[in-house]
Amino acid sequence: MRPLRLTLSAFGPYAAQTTLDLEKLGKGGLYLITGDTGAGKTTLFDAITYALYDHSSSGIREGSMLRCKYADDKTPTFVELEFEVHGVRYTVRRNPEYQRPKTRGEGMTTEKADATLTYPDTRPPVTKAKDVTAAVQEIIGLDYNQFSQIVLIAQGQFTKLLNASTEERSRIFRKLFRTQRYAQLQERLQAEAAALNQQRTAQNAKLDSLLGGLQFSPEDPDAEALRALCAQTVPETALALLDALTARQAAALEEASTALHITEAQLDKVQQQLGAAAQAQRLAQQLATRQAELAAAKPALDAARAEADRHAGDAAQLDALTAQVTQAQSALAAYDALDTLCRQRTEARDAAQLAAAQAHKRRTQLDSLNAALAAAESQLAALADADTRLLVLQTRSAQLCQRGEALAKLEQRLADCQRQAKAAHKAQESYRAAAAAQDEARARQNTLERAFLDAQAGLLAESLVEGAPCPVCGSTHHPARALLPHTAPTQAQVEAARQAAAAADRQAQTASAAAQSALAAANEAKTSLRRDAETLLPERFTAPEGTVPLTFALMTNVLAEETAALQTEQADCTAQCQQADADCRRKAQLEADRQAKTRQRPALEQAAAEADRSAAAQSASADALEGQIAERRAALPYPRRADAQAALDKLEADRRTLRTGMDTAQRKLKQAEQSVAAAEAAVEALTAQQTAAQKELPARSAEELTAQQTELTAAREALRSREKQLSVQLLPNRKTAVQYRAAAEARQTLESRWQWVSALAATAGGTLTSKQKIKLEAYIQMNYLDRILRYANTRLMQMTAGQYELERIGAENQRSQSGLDLGVIDHYNGTRRSVKTLSGGESFKASLALALGLSDEVQSSAGGIRLDTLFLDEGFGSLDEESLELAIRVLSGLTEGDRLVGIISHVGALKDRIDRQVVVHKARTGGSTVELRV
């Protein structure tokens, strides 16, 4: 970047519009900015920086503070800078916010801050302050911080970096070289390592829980090994034991099921044989019974006939008994009232028992509620970190989305860069064609001009007239006039060739400018692409041995790989987010259930107390009824209603007996007749059935079959119990084996990632055992400082005639995180000491060398951008004559390669040594003026 023309209006101390034609200073060498103290020398730097970046060079004076207090109210405040980058000229104009008179009416109004950037081609100007700053930064390739460090080295800033503490120097480097991304990487690695460690703990607890729930017999051959299983057991060993256990249990279950089927079949067969024997026995017993009934039925028939004859005269006695029964029934009313009281007492006792049972039920419900609350508390404790895990995963998901957007933008930048490279190639081809046409037109012009000049004698001879003097020799006689060649061109042909050559020159120049602009744009785009790629993917484009060359093919492959990796990580993060969200919902449900149960507890406690009170009241009512019952019972003729009822029953029984005797005699007679007929028919039928059953009787006795049945029944029950026990053990164990296999694989994956993330976090955090305790950011900053010192010492050795050299003081022990302290080596006496022990002149030279070294390093880290101008705002008054000579020699070395170096100073020796000067004067009326001396 080279400033060409600077215009200031009502800016700083410059009241009137002032224009400084910096292009007259040339393209290289030193020039001096001098003048009265406070006249506004540094303001020239402020104007350049403000025009480009909306900042002053020192960063102290803001735009709103730069309005000249000596300027007329109607004079506008602005800065206009014309500058050149890669041979292309740009113009930027910027004004701060200030007060100006109203165009209509009286009073003042606010002129808003504004800016405009004008391109040299047909592109529309850029407006708005922020957009102009962004466009300038893209053109120059430097932001404000980098520009102020490597182009404008402001007054009082040389010694700031030299005497800064390690912490201050670290903050400066973090801002200049953007090393905060390495600190962020350290923090992200530590956070991920901690999160993975928590997941390991949870996974081990899950494995312990699974293995602790195994079910097996104490007599199992692997019982001791199975009891010893835990999360630390080798998964292959644990799975082998689990598979062997489930195999043994499955085999035992199959064996028990087979034996049970055989036993049940045998038992069915024995039970069928017992049934046949029992049936034959029952038939024999029934036949004997029927034969006995037949033998007894015949005498009974005779007796029934005699009994019927005996009850023929019992009707009168039956009437007398009926009258006595009616009188006894009337006396039972008192007993009915007593029975009512007894029922009420029983009901009261029952109600008391029911109330007591209800109270017990309420107490049981209350105990169940308390147990459920305790279980909910346990589950809530296990899910305590669900919200935190969800927040961490959501944050990670947002970071992945941002990275995806950054990759998409980088891919778009790659496409733009490729298009610009093609455009640059096309422009270069056009320029080559235009250059060839230019050469051809020039050659034709030269040929025609030469032929035209060669033919001048013939043209002159044609105009000679005998007797008239020759315009060349003056002779009036022309004996041998020159002949005009027939191929000689005319003046019009020569002029046409000259115009064609001029047109070819213009086309070649236009094509050259277009090719240069397109190539510059393509290079700028590629530089910007590399900067963006290194910012987003530093590990892919930097290596210990140097920078990785960037090609479009490499960039395309890297973007494809990074995009695929990002998609995989996003899918994993989404799955984890879903699990964490489910845990949060479960936690909320448990919390709601716990609150609901907590609200139920007072109601249950109140219901239990009310049930206790109701039981007590019912018991008291039953006791009162007991007293009334005793009084009523004392007044009765019989102690109990049953006694009175017994007397009544006896009368009724006598009446029924009498009546029954009469009816029974007739019924028995009829039954006896029927019984004899039925017995005869049954004996005949049973005799036939017994004959058929004798053919199906088993060979063994009923006692043997019964004993076998008892033995088989016991065996069946034992086998059923064995089968149930094995099923209860086998099914959960199979489920545990499946869950353990999945959990062990997940734990192995988690363990592997935790190991390398922890190692990476320890490396970046500087906590590796037996290694120097240096964090990644500090290491990067130490590397930058070493590179700055290499640049700085080249100039410091020149300025001090080889006496002094700056060095970085490393960490004193492995536990130190320092490493950015500065010392100085005195080669004259071989000592090392602090930079703070340097004298004023020595400190100035060291500070100047360090500032120039920092400028070189920042310029290099900005992509090797070419800077055609350097400004130094610092006094050289602390240097002696010899040191001043050495310093000027060093600064003169900076001008090599067409670079201008401007110096602000009051030192008279510099005025004598530097011819080109910018002189600033204070005006008596206020304000300042500037004069350029070249």
Side-chain angles (χ1 to χ4, degrees):
M1 194 285 293
R2 184 191 306 278
L4 302 177
R5 183 183 300 274
L6 177 64
T7 302
L8 303 91
S9 176
F11 188 86
Y14 300 94
Q17 181 169 317
T18 303
T19 300
L20 190 61
D21 192 358
L22 298 174
E23 192 170 8
K24 293 181 179 180
L25 295 173
K27 294 187 176 181
L30 297 175
Y31 69 92
L32 183 66
I33 303 175
T34 185
D36 302 329
T37 301
K41 299 182 295 298
T42 304
T43 303
L44 298 177
F45 289 179
D46 289 339
I48 293 174
T49 312
Y50 173 71
L52 294 173
Y53 295 102
D54 199 13
H55 284 78
S56 63
S57 61
S58 62
I60 299 174
R61 294 186 284 266
E62 296 297 331
S64 60
M65 303 167 58
L66 297 176
R67 166 78 179 175
C68 180
K69 62 183 179 181
Y70 304 109
D72 184 82
D73 289 341
K74 296 182 180 180
T75 302
T77 299
F78 69 87
V79 175
E80 184 175 280
L81 174 66
E82 183 180 355
F83 63 97
E84 182 182 64
V85 177
H86 299 302
V88 182
R89 297 191 175 208
Y90 305 88
T91 301
V92 60
R93 180 187 176 105
R94 194 186 297 269
N95 67 271
E97 182 179 292
Y98 64 94
Q99 296 292 315
R100 61 167 178 81
K102 293 181 178 179
T103 56
R104 295 182 181 179
E106 298 180 355
M108 306 293 287
T109 186
T110 300
E111 180 72 22
K112 298 295 184 182
D114 198 7
T116 303
L117 174 67
T118 304
Y119 293 99
D121 50 25
T122 58
R123 283 179 289 177
V126 179
T127 59
K128 296 183 181 179
K130 290 184 179 180
D131 295 340
V132 169
T133 302
V136 168
Q137 181 173 327
E138 184 175 357
I139 291 171
I140 299 177
L142 300 173
D143 59 20
Y144 165 70
N145 291 324
Q146 294 170 327
F147 186 86
S148 61
Q149 287 290 336
I150 66 178
V151 179
L152 301 176
I153 303 178
Q155 183 175 354
Q157 299 298 311
F158 278 23
T159 58
K160 181 177 180 181
L161 185 60
L162 181 69
N163 297 319
S165 65
T166 294
E167 291 76 13
E168 293 172 343
R169 193 172 291 114
S170 176
R171 287 195 293 271
I172 292 172
F173 283 4
R174 180 177 296 129
K175 187 174 182 181
L176 285 177
F177 302 112
R178 301 173 183 173
T179 60
Q180 66 271 15
R181 55 188 172 182
Y182 300 104
Q184 294 170 356
L185 176 61
Q186 296 166 194
E187 295 173 358
R188 286 172 54 192
L189 288 172
Q190 291 174 356
E192 185 174 359
L196 289 173
N197 192 36
Q198 291 180 352
Q199 296 177 22
R200 288 175 62 245
T201 302
Q203 196 70 9
N204 287 334
K206 180 179 179 180
L207 291 175
D208 285 333
S209 176
L210 288 172
L211 294 174
L214 288 176
Q215 299 183 28
F216 53 89
S217 172
E219 292 78 19
D220 191 274
D222 292 336
E224 192 67 28
L226 291 170
R227 279 191 290 269
L229 288 177
C230 64
Q232 305 306 321
T233 304
V234 177
E236 290 76 11
T237 302
L239 288 172
L241 289 171
L242 287 174
D243 292 341
L245 174 63
T246 54
R248 287 194 299 272
Q249 291 178 340
L253 178 61
E254 181 66 23
E255 181 181 353
S257 299
T258 302
L260 177 61
H261 290 320
I262 295 173
T263 301
E264 287 177 341
Q266 294 176 349
L267 183 60
D268 289 341
K269 184 177 180 180
V270 169
Q271 287 177 341
Q272 291 175 0
Q273 293 176 349
L274 281 173
Q279 178 67 15
Q281 186 177 2
R282 284 195 300 273
L283 288 174
Q285 292 175 352
Q286 290 175 1
L287 178 60
T289 301
R290 292 300 183 182
Q291 289 174 343
E293 289 176 356
L294 178 59
K298 292 179 178 181
L301 178 60
D302 297 337
R305 289 174 180 168
E307 182 68 18
D309 294 339
R310 189 174 61 82
H311 287 283
D314 290 341
Q317 188 178 357
L318 180 61
D319 293 337
L321 287 174
T322 299
Q324 293 177 5
V325 166
T326 300
Q327 184 179 2
Q329 287 175 345
S330 300
L332 286 177
Y335 291 99
D336 292 336
L338 180 61
D339 290 341
T340 300
L341 289 177
C342 290
R343 284 194 303 273
Q344 291 176 355
R345 179 193 61 185
T346 301
E347 291 173 356
R349 295 292 185 195
D350 293 340
Q353 291 178 358
L354 180 61
Q358 187 70 19
H360 178 71
K361 178 181 179 181
R362 295 301 184 192
R363 295 294 179 189
T364 302
Q365 291 176 348
L366 185 60
D367 293 340
S368 299
L369 182 64
N370 291 333
L373 284 173
E377 290 292 344
S378 176
Q379 296 181 37
L380 283 171
L383 298 174
D385 65 336
D387 296 331
T388 303
R389 285 190 288 112
L390 180 59
L391 180 60
V392 170
L393 289 170
Q394 288 174 342
T395 302
R396 177 60 179 160
S397 179
Q399 292 174 349
L400 292 176
C401 289
Q402 292 176 356
R403 181 171 178 83
E405 294 173 358
L407 286 174
K409 290 180 180 178
L410 190 59
E411 187 174 1
Q412 182 61 40
R413 292 296 297 272
L414 173 61
D416 294 341
C417 190
Q418 289 174 325
R419 286 195 297 271
Q420 289 179 333
K422 292 180 181 178
H425 179 72
K426 184 177 180 181
Q428 288 176 328
E429 292 295 332
S430 298
Y431 167 71
R432 292 190 186 97
Q438 179 189 26
D439 293 341
E440 183 179 352
R442 282 294 181 186
R444 175 171 175 76
Q445 176 191 358
N446 293 337
T447 300
L448 291 176
E449 287 179 343
R450 188 178 301 109
F452 181 78
L453 291 175
D454 292 340
Q456 288 301 305
L459 292 173
L460 183 61
E462 286 183 342
S463 64
L464 292 178
V465 178
E466 189 67 30
C470 176
V472 178
C473 64
S475 176
T476 59
H477 179 60
H478 317 292
R481 291 184 292 181
L483 297 176
L484 178 66
H486 69 279
T487 58
T490 64
Q491 179 70 34
Q493 290 175 328
V494 173
E495 183 61 29
R498 186 178 294 112
Q499 292 178 359
D505 288 342
R506 289 192 298 272
Q507 291 178 358
Q509 290 176 358
T510 302
S512 176
Q516 185 178 10
S517 177
L519 183 59
N523 291 336
E524 180 67 22
K526 192 167 184 180
T527 301
S528 177
L529 175 64
R530 181 172 190 87
R531 182 169 59 251
D532 294 344
E534 288 180 345
T535 300
L536 182 61
L537 306 168
E539 70 282 359
R540 302 301 295 266
F541 296 97
T542 56
E545 60 273 9
T547 303
V548 178
L550 186 145
T551 63
F552 293 150
L554 172 62
M555 192 69 192
T556 301
N557 292 336
V558 168
L559 285 175
E561 294 172 0
E562 291 294 332
T563 301
L566 178 65
Q567 292 174 351
T568 300
E569 192 170 357
Q570 284 178 324
D572 181 57
C573 185
T574 300
Q576 295 184 27
C577 280
Q578 292 174 352
Q579 181 59 46
D581 183 60
D583 291 343
C584 288
R585 292 197 302 272
R586 176 58 180 164
K587 178 181 177 182
Q589 181 183 0
L590 289 172
E591 184 65 33
D593 292 342
R594 181 181 66 178
Q595 293 178 359
K597 287 182 171 58
T598 302
R599 290 192 298 268
Q600 292 175 4
R601 182 187 294 168
L604 281 176
E605 291 177 344
Q606 182 179 0
E610 291 178 354
D612 289 337
R613 290 193 296 270
S614 177
Q618 293 294 343
S619 179
S621 177
D623 293 340
L625 289 172
E626 187 69 39
Q628 295 179 20
I629 289 172
E631 293 176 359
R632 295 267 183 109
R633 182 173 286 121
L636 292 174
Y638 293 101
R640 295 177 303 170
R641 187 181 189 285
D643 296 336
Q645 185 67 44
L648 176 61
D649 291 342
K650 184 176 184 306
L651 292 173
E652 289 182 341
D654 291 343
R655 186 181 60 175
R656 284 195 302 274
T657 300
L658 188 60
R659 179 179 293 173
T660 301
M662 295 171 60
D663 295 339
T664 301
Q666 293 299 321
R667 187 177 62 257
K668 284 183 177 181
L669 176 61
K670 185 175 181 180
Q671 289 177 349
E673 292 173 349
Q674 293 175 350
S675 296
V676 170
E680 290 175 348
V683 167
E684 184 178 355
L686 287 173
T687 300
Q689 292 178 10
Q690 186 179 35
T691 302
Q694 289 295 331
K695 299 177 181 179
E696 297 179 2
L697 287 177
R700 291 182 293 175
S701 65
E703 291 77 8
E704 292 177 344
L705 291 173
T706 301
Q708 186 179 5
Q709 180 189 32
T710 302
E711 180 181 351
L712 290 173
T713 301
R716 182 186 63 181
E717 295 303 321
L719 288 172
R720 284 179 176 176
S721 176
R722 173 65 173 166
E723 184 182 42
K724 182 178 180 180
Q725 180 183 9
L726 289 172
S727 297
V728 169
Q729 292 178 351
L730 178 61
L731 294 179
N733 287 349
R734 281 179 172 171
K735 183 177 180 181
T736 297
V738 173
Q739 292 176 343
Y740 177 84
R741 180 174 281 101
E745 292 176 356
R747 197 266 303 270
Q748 180 64 29
T749 303
L750 180 64
E751 188 74 20
S752 176
R753 179 171 178 81
W754 172 79
Q755 288 176 355
W756 72 261
V757 170
S758 297
L760 192 57
T763 302
T767 58
L768 286 176
T769 306
S770 302
K771 299 292 183 180
Q772 197 170 11
K773 302 300 185 288
I774 299 177
K775 293 183 179 179
L776 177 61
E777 183 185 22
Y779 177 80
I780 298 297
Q781 291 178 347
M782 289 161 57
N783 182 264
Y784 275 119
L785 182 56
D786 289 340
R787 287 152 58 177
I788 291 170
L789 291 180
R790 283 197 294 271
Y791 291 118
N793 284 326
T794 301
R795 299 186 173 93
L796 182 59
M797 293 287 282
Q798 296 177 15
M799 286 190 284
T800 61
Q803 181 178 2
Y804 292 120
E805 181 182 356
L806 295 174
E807 67 171 346
R808 179 177 63 81
I809 302 175
E812 297 179 356
N813 53 63
Q814 288 189 343
R815 295 185 179 181
S816 175
Q817 288 286 0
S818 64
L820 298 179
D821 295 331
L822 287 179
V824 62
I825 303 174
D826 190 337
H827 289 290
Y828 284 8
N829 54 27
T831 61
R832 283 179 163 86
R833 51 196 173 97
S834 171
V835 294
K836 296 181 181 179
T837 63
L838 295 173
S839 65
E842 293 169 342
S843 180
F844 169 75
K845 287 184 281 187
S847 300
L848 176 58
L850 188 60
L852 294 175
L854 177 60
S855 175
D856 291 338
E857 174 55 30
V858 175
Q859 180 177 345
S860 175
S861 64
I865 294 173
R866 170 67 183 171
L867 298 174
D868 302 311
T869 304
L870 178 66
F871 299 100
L872 301 176
D873 185 1
E874 188 61 59
F876 289 77
S878 60
L879 301 181
D880 56 27
E881 184 68 22
E882 182 182 358
S883 297
L884 182 60
E885 178 65 31
L886 293 173
I888 292 176
R889 189 180 304 166
V890 170
L891 294 175
S892 297
L894 297 175
T895 65
E896 296 177 357
D898 294 337
R899 177 188 286 180
L900 271 173
V901 178
I903 303 173
I904 289 182
S905 180
H906 303 282
V907 178
L910 289 177
K911 296 180 183 179
D912 298 335
R913 293 170 183 266
I914 301 175
D915 297 330
R916 290 177 292 179
Q917 298 180 1
V918 178
V919 184
V920 183
H921 301 285
K922 278 187 177 181
R924 293 182 179 181
T925 57
S928 299
T929 60
V930 63
E931 175 187 2
L932 188 64
R933 297 175 183 176
V934 295

